[in-house]
Amino acid sequence: QKRLSASALFTHTYADGTEVSATLAFGRKERTDGVNLDAWLSEASWKPDDKWTAFARGEAIESDELGLAHEINKVQKISFGLIRDWRLNEHTKFGIGALVARNFTDGALDPLYGDDPWGGMAFVRLKIS
């Protein structure tokens, strides 16, 4: 098989201290049996100050390894989240965050993914710079 990937990244800090980052990525798997499988990813973050970060992510894949019949299925997911950081010292921050996500699948995967496409999580992080 052959693999192809491409990505673009953008990061900028504005004069007021706001930081914005974005990524767009694409991958393709070209198999010897003539099947091409694509994947996309897009994500972005917005940090208006040292305390808050908002982020979003969207992803889509084509795969024949997810279902039981080995047919090509498509799965997409979007998620949105927010993190609140507290500075512990010059090089360390402690953060608490949460995100909400929604899956989109074709009908063939419904028995495996369930009937509730919504999910979420809360998390903590320790960021050392």
Side-chain angles (χ1 to χ4, degrees):
Q1 69 183 351
K2 293 180 186 176
R3 293 180 182 250
L4 168 73
S5 63
S7 61
L9 306 148
F10 171 81
T11 301
H12 185 72
T13 302
Y14 293 91
D16 66 357
T18 300
E19 296 177 22
V20 175
S21 296
T23 301
L24 181 62
F26 168 78
R28 169 172 276 187
K29 185 189 317 183
E30 296 177 353
R31 297 193 326 214
T32 55
D33 62 2
V35 174
N36 296 326
L37 302 170
D38 294 334
W40 288 91
L41 166 75
S42 177
E43 62 184 9
S45 66
W46 174 64
K47 190 174 166 129
D49 56 35
D50 195 43
K51 296 177 185 173
W52 293 99
T53 304
F55 59 91
R57 179 181 173 113
E59 52 194 298
I61 67 164
E62 296 175 329
S63 176
D64 61 356
E65 299 173 2
L66 299 173
L68 301 175
H70 298 291
E71 60 192 29
I72 295 174
N73 301 111
K74 295 180 181 179
V75 177
Q76 300 90 27
K77 183 177 183 177
I78 57 171
S79 56
F80 301 94
L82 191 63
I83 304 168
R84 169 60 160 98
D85 284 313
W86 289 270
R87 185 162 291 285
L88 301 178
N89 60 41
E90 181 182 354
H91 299 287
T92 310
K93 292 183 192 176
F94 173 78
I96 297 176
L99 72 79
V100 63
R102 185 172 193 307
N103 295 315
F104 302 89
T105 63
D106 53 26
L109 294 178
D110 287 349
L112 299 172
Y113 274 73
D115 60 356
D116 185 3
W118 291 95
M121 73 173 172
F123 57 90
V124 297
R125 76 172 179 183
L126 187 63
K127 189 172 183 180
I128 301 170
S129 57

